[in-house]
Amino acid sequence: MNIQKEIEKLKKEKNAIILAHNYQLPEIQDIADFVGDSLNLSIKAKDTKAQIIIFCGVYFMAETAKILSPHKKVLIPVKEAGCSLADNITVQQINRLKKKHPNAKVLCYVNTTAEIKAKSDIVCTSANAVEVTEKVLKDEEVIFIPDKYLGLYTMRKTNKKFILHSGYCPVHVSIRKEDIKRQKRLHPKAKILAHPECLPEVIDLADKVLSTEGMCRYAKKTKFQEMIIATEIGILHRLRKENPKKKFYPASKTAVCPFMKVIRLKDVLDSLKYERYPVEVPLSVRLGAYRAIQEMLKVS
Ligand code: 13P
Ligand code: SF4
């Protein structure tokens, strides 16, 4: 039996679901029951009836699934799948920020550890940072953590001034405006789609600024046939699969997230077989993180 069939069989036997992020390797996306961005994966994890969730993404995403579905078994096939942006802020740093700005609300990007979420007032993803700010925090002083570029983009869209932390995603920051200009010269008819973690000078060149799911949705419905994609290149697999007649060009072929590429088919199979590696969040942390995520889900 080939590995895909073995995974399929075990998945049914164990009442398991495989969730994969849009940046995962093509073969992982192809065996997943659901492929999406951070927001949609969280919602799926919350709503699924499956008893086991195999989470193919990075650790903070699997942790979010566990926070939302504490009675389910959430497994990550490779536990070293981290995220350097999520690791960028420590509990001491957030405590210091809160002490310095005691009246400010903390808006926390989902790319953070559960401990950091538990210390925040509300979570957001790249898909809803603007919406959450406008609906919940319009009249508040806001500390935005940890991604300064998503923070800057949200400030621009909402005309608000945030207190920013200094974090950033090295993959998105590696995409330069020169990369976009080069692709635009090669493909003058192509629309430019950029992720809000990108540098402001890249955002300035974009026709649309979208989360990964937003990009997939836009690509399907637009009449435009060519698009330059300024985010991690793993998303190109889904874009091309769902839109075989359209053309997609990576803004930069080197925009590869090493953490998103560690999970292989064999790891997924072993994860199902041996039920490894379980993601656990201590109750004291989980309750706080759950509250902050729920605040987001209420509005988005
Ligand atoms: P999305 O929520 O847009 O999929 O982004 C996740 C991520 O890690 C971006 O770097
Ligand atoms: Fe983290 Fe950046 Fe990788 Fe997303 S692309 S998982 S933010 S390091």
Side-chain angles (χ1 to χ4, degrees), residues 126-278:
S126 60
N128 62 19
V130 172
E131 188 187 9
V132 166
T133 305
E134 281 177 340
K135 289 192 180 158
V136 187
L137 301 167
K138 195 78 188 158
D139 304 317
E140 307 277 358
E141 188 185 7
V142 175
I143 300 170
F144 187 93
I145 55 162
D147 185 355
K148 70 172 165 188
Y149 295 115
L150 177 63
L152 279 171
Y153 171 72
T154 311
M155 274 171 57
R156 241 165 123 177
K157 293 294 281 185
T158 58
N159 276 326
K160 259 188 87 74
K161 185 141 177 46
F162 289 160
I163 298 146
L164 294 171
H165 180 65
S166 57
Y168 63 89
C169 163
V171 182
H172 285 85
V173 166
S174 76
I175 302 171
R176 300 284 153 166
K177 68 173 189 295
E178 293 74 22
D179 298 323
I180 310 278
K181 286 185 176 163
R182 190 179 324 110
Q183 287 295 16
K184 188 71 183 175
R185 273 197 302 278
L186 290 169
H187 312 288
K189 285 193 194 138
K191 290 284 154 192
I192 300 162
L193 314 189
H195 194 277
E197 284 176 21
C198 287
L199 294 169
E201 68 222 47
V202 168
I203 301 271
D204 284 344
L205 296 173
D207 294 295
K208 294 274 170 197
V209 181
L210 298 161
S211 77
T212 59
E213 196 63 33
M215 289 183 188
C216 294
R217 223 175 294 133
Y218 176 85
K220 256 190 197 168
K221 70 165 204 269
T222 182
K223 61 179 189 316
F224 298 109
Q225 296 299 306
E226 294 179 65
M227 278 155 264
I228 295 163
I229 306 296
T231 191
E232 210 274 349
I233 61 166
I235 195 175
L236 290 157
H237 175 68
R238 181 170 163 200
L239 288 171
R240 288 173 178 148
K241 195 169 157 182
E242 292 182 348
N243 309 278
K245 295 207 173 103
K246 296 184 180 175
K247 293 221 155 50
F248 300 96
Y249 313 108
S252 161
K253 283 186 184 155
T254 57
V256 180
C257 173
F259 309 108
M260 281 284 184
K261 308 299 183 207
V262 290
I263 298 174
R264 306 295 156 115
L265 282 177
K266 177 77 168 70
D267 301 314
V268 177
L269 179 62
D270 287 346
S271 182
L272 269 165
K273 224 187 249 175
Y274 308 114
E275 300 193 6
R276 72 188 190 198
Y277 294 92

